[in-house]
Amino acid sequence: MQFKLNPKNPSSTGLRVIPVFENQVSDILTEKNLQKTIPSPLFSGKKDSQFSFEIEGQLVLLIGLGENPDYKTVENSLRRVLSKQSSLIEKEVLLDFPAEMDESHVEAALVGFKLGAYSIGFYKKEKPKDHSKLKVEIITSLKKAKDLAARAGKIADAKIEAFKLVDLPPNKITPENLGDWAKNLGKKFELNVKVWDSKKAKSEKLEAFLAVGRGSAKDPRFIIIEYRHPKASKHVGLVGKGVTFDTGGLNIKTQGMHHMKSDMGGAAAVLATTQLVADLGLHLNLTSIVPAVENAIDKDAYLPSEVIGSHAGLSIEVIDTDAEGRLILADGLSYLIKNYAPDQVIDLATLTGSAIGTFGYECAALFTNDGTISYGLQSAGEEIGEKSWPLPLWESFGKEMDSEIADIKNYHGKPFAGAITAAKFLQAFTHEHPAWAHLDIAGVAFSDTEFAKTKTGTAYGVGLLLRYFESIL
C-alpha cells in the first residue's frame, strides 16, 4: 500500500472517501466543492453510518464519525472501507480529509484504513484480495502530513504483526517461530536479540519457565530484545506471556481449547510494540522479554503438587498446571529486574478468566504499585481506545497464595479474586521493584469483532504502550 500526499491532480476515477463529522455534512460537502444536497434524515454523519453517491463519474463514500469521535471510532470507521467494501476499490483510492480533522483523527483514519487490508484467510485456496499495491492518495491541510502518514503506516504495520502472531495456528506460531521472529526484528533494526533454548535457560536457573514447557515436543524459547537510543532518559522493561498453545496441562481444559492459540496475546503485544518503538526511533531504552512455551501433556509434563524452583530463588507449589502463565512470567520478571534494573516494568498476559468475569470484554485489569503508572496507563488507554481499570494489590490477597510446603503456591484454588491473587503471585517475583504494572488482557487480546466471523487478535497493548511511552518521554 502506497501513500501519496496531496497530489496535484487527485484521482477522478478511484473511490473518493470523505470522513464526516455529525451535523457537518453540508459544510464539508461545500468545502470539498461537491454540489450535492443530502437530507439530514438520510445521512447526518452519525457514528458508524455511511452514504455513497456518484458525481461526475466518480463514486464518493461519506463515512460518518459522530460528533466527537475518539481514536478507536475513527480507526474502525476507516477500517471498514477495505475490510467490508473492497469491491468498490480497484487500483487506487482517494482519502479526502476535511480541515476539521486534527492529527489524531487523521492518524487513526490512516491506521484504520491500512488495517482494513488484513484478513485471517491465510490458508484458503481462494486468497483474500491483495491490497499491497493499492495507491492511496491523501488530501489533508495538516502540516507535516508526510511524517504523519509514515507514522500511521508504521503503527498499522505493528498492529498487523500482532494480529498475525495471535491469529496464525499453533503449528505455525511455536516458541521457535517466535524466537526466529525476534531474530529477524533484530536484523532489521540492529537490535541486540538473545534467544535461549532449554539448555541455556537451565543454566540461567529459569526453572519455573522450564517446568511449564516440559510436556511439549516443542522446545521453549526465552527471548530477550534490547532497544537502546543514545538520547534516552528512561528505561522501560516489558514482559509478555508467550504460551503458544495451552492445553491446561494435566489439569486439562474442558472447554474452549480451540481458542488457546491466543494465549500468547501478551507476547504478541510486546513483540509488536518493540517493533514499533524501533521503527519510530523513540528516545527510550526498552528491554523486552518473552518467555515462549507450549503447555502440553506427555510423560514429562509437570504435575499438580510438584514443587519447582524459580529464577528468584522462591520455591513454588504447583496447585494447578493450568495456572502456567504466571510461572513463566515469574521467571521473566525476575530475570528482567535482576539483570537490567529498568525504571519501570510492565507485563501483559492473557492470564485469568477472572479478569473477564470482572470486566467482560471491555477493558484490561490493571494492577500496579505506582500511582503515576496507573494514571498514565489509564489515561493513554482512554485516549487510544485500549482501556484498563485498576484492581487492588492488598496484602490480604497475597496470603491466599501461602503454601505449607513451599514459599508460594501458583493458585489459591478458590472461586474468587482469581485475577488479584494471580497478580499477587507475580508481585512476589518483582524483587520489590517500586514501579511495576501488570495488565491482565484475557478479555481484550482475542475477541469477537465486526471484521471476522470468528474471534481474532485485537493487537491490544500496541497503541496503549505507544501512547504511554510518548507521554513519559
Side-chain angles (χ1 to χ4, degrees):
M1 192 175 295
Q2 306 167 27
F3 288 161
K4 185 176 181 180
L5 274 296
N6 296 319
K8 292 182 179 180
N9 298 301
S11 173
S12 60
T13 56
L15 177 68
R16 184 178 182 185
V17 179
I18 305 176
V20 178
F21 294 111
E22 189 170 356
N23 299 322
Q24 294 186 27
V25 178
S26 179
D27 292 341
I28 289 175
L29 290 177
T30 299
E31 175 191 332
K32 299 301 179 182
N33 297 315
L34 293 173
Q35 305 303 314
K36 180 74 176 181
T37 300
I38 302 175
S40 181
L42 194 60
F43 179 75
S44 63
K46 286 185 177 180
K47 177 184 175 182
D48 299 335
S49 64
Q50 295 185 356
F51 185 82
S52 59
F53 60 91
E54 186 178 359
I55 189 167
E56 296 181 0
Q58 184 173 38
L59 182 61
V60 178
L61 177 64
L62 303 182
I63 305 290
L65 302 177
E67 288 188 4
N68 298 296
D70 58 19
Y71 192 100
K72 185 60 71 173
T73 293
V74 178
E75 181 183 294
N76 286 340
S77 295
L78 271 292
R79 185 176 175 182
R80 295 185 187 110
V81 178
L82 285 183
S83 179
K84 298 186 175 184
Q85 296 172 300
S86 63
S87 60
L88 301 179
I89 299 172
E90 292 300 328
K91 297 181 179 179
E92 57 187 10
V93 63
L94 175 63
L95 302 182
D96 195 352
F97 296 117
E100 291 81 0
M101 291 190 73
D102 61 22
E103 288 187 5
S104 180
H105 290 137
V106 173
E107 177 186 293
L110 294 177
V111 169
F113 185 81
K114 193 166 186 179
L115 293 184
Y118 177 75
S119 169
I120 64 171
F122 303 108
Y123 299 101
K124 285 183 173 290
K125 184 176 181 180
E126 185 177 341
K127 298 299 180 184
K129 192 171 182 179
D130 182 9
H131 295 289
S132 60
K133 296 182 179 179
L134 178 66
K135 296 180 180 178
V136 183
E137 296 181 348
I138 300 168
I139 294 179
T140 175
S141 59
L142 291 173
K143 297 179 180 178
K144 297 183 179 179
K146 186 176 180 179
D147 293 339
L148 181 62
R151 171 185 165 88
K154 292 174 181 179
I155 295 172
D157 288 343
K159 288 190 172 187
I160 288 172
E161 283 302 310
F163 290 165
K164 289 180 181 177
L165 290 172
V166 171
D167 291 337
L168 283 165
N171 57 323
K172 172 63 176 177
I173 300 298
T174 64
E176 182 179 13
N177 176 271
L178 288 184
D180 291 342
W181 190 98
K183 290 176 184 177
N184 290 332
L185 182 73
K187 291 176 182 177
K188 183 175 180 180
F189 294 106
E190 298 183 350
L191 308 178
N192 184 24
V193 177
K194 303 172 187 175
V195 179
W196 294 342
D197 60 13
S198 55
K199 184 177 180 180
K200 175 62 175 175
K202 185 175 181 179
S203 71
E204 295 291 338
K205 302 187 184 311
L206 301 170
E207 297 178 42
F209 163 70
L210 289 170
V212 175
R214 259 171 34 198
S216 175
K218 301 178 179 71
D219 197 52
R221 294 291 186 270
F222 195 83
I223 302 165
I224 306 170
I225 309 174
E226 301 171 8
Y227 166 80
R228 301 292 182 263
H229 195 283
K231 296 182 180 179
S233 59
K234 285 187 171 62
H235 181 190
V236 177
L238 296 179
V239 182
K241 175 185 172 183
V243 179
T244 58
F245 192 80
D246 180 22
T247 66
L250 289 172
N251 292 107
I252 193 167
K253 293 180 183 294
T254 56
Q255 60 183 359
M257 200 187 297
H258 175 70
H259 291 147
M260 285 302 101
K261 66 177 184 177
S262 69
D263 213 15
M264 42 70 68
V270 166
L271 292 173
T273 298
T274 306
Q275 171 182 310
L276 184 54
V277 167
D279 207 1
L280 293 174
L282 294 192
H283 293 188
L284 176 77
N285 286 340
L286 179 67
T287 302
S288 299
I289 289 183
V290 170
V293 301
E294 184 181 78
N295 187 22
I297 304 170
D298 81 346
K299 61 183 178 60
D300 296 319
Y302 75 126
L303 309 173
S305 79
E306 271 194 38
V307 175
I308 61 176
S310 68
H311 180 270
L314 297 176
S315 57
I316 304 169
E317 179 186 6
V318 177
I319 303 297
D320 193 323
T321 61
D322 197 23
E324 86 297 331
R326 65 198 69 182
L327 296 177
I328 67 172
L329 286 172
D331 276 356
L333 286 165
S334 177
Y335 187 88
L336 172 70
I337 293 166
K338 290 293 283 184
N339 290 277
Y340 290 94
D343 302 316
Q344 297 182 10
V345 177
I346 303 171
D347 74 76
L348 296 91
T350 50
L351 206 62
T352 68
S354 176
I356 301 175
T358 303
F359 294 122
Y361 302 96
E362 186 66 23
C363 71
L366 170 63
F367 302 86
T368 180
N369 57 1
D370 185 283
T372 301
I373 295 179
S374 181
Y375 176 78
L377 287 172
Q378 288 180 77
S379 299
E382 289 285 347
E383 293 170 8
I384 210 72
E386 296 180 13
K387 295 180 287 187
S388 65
W389 196 256
L391 289 175
L393 283 169
W394 298 329
E395 191 51 43
S396 55
F397 288 112
K399 292 179 180 179
E400 292 287 335
M401 308 307 285
D402 288 346
S403 168
E404 290 290 329
I405 194 171
D407 293 316
I408 194 169
K409 56 187 177 184
N410 77 328
Y411 178 56
H412 71 330
K414 299 175 183 178
F416 60 79
I420 301 175
T421 52
K424 289 301 294 183
F425 176 86
L426 293 179
Q427 190 176 30
F429 297 86
T430 60
H431 301 284
E432 299 183 347
H433 193 287
W436 161 71
H438 161 58
L439 284 164
D440 190 333
I441 61 174
V444 290
F446 188 67
S447 298
D448 290 310
T449 73
E450 63 181 283
F451 301 108
K453 295 179 181 179
T454 185
K455 286 181 178 293
T456 55
T458 65
Y460 180 97
V462 178
L464 167 64
L465 290 172
L466 174 62
R467 184 61 63 97
Y468 175 68
F469 289 163
E470 291 182 329
S471 74
I472 64 174
L473 296 180

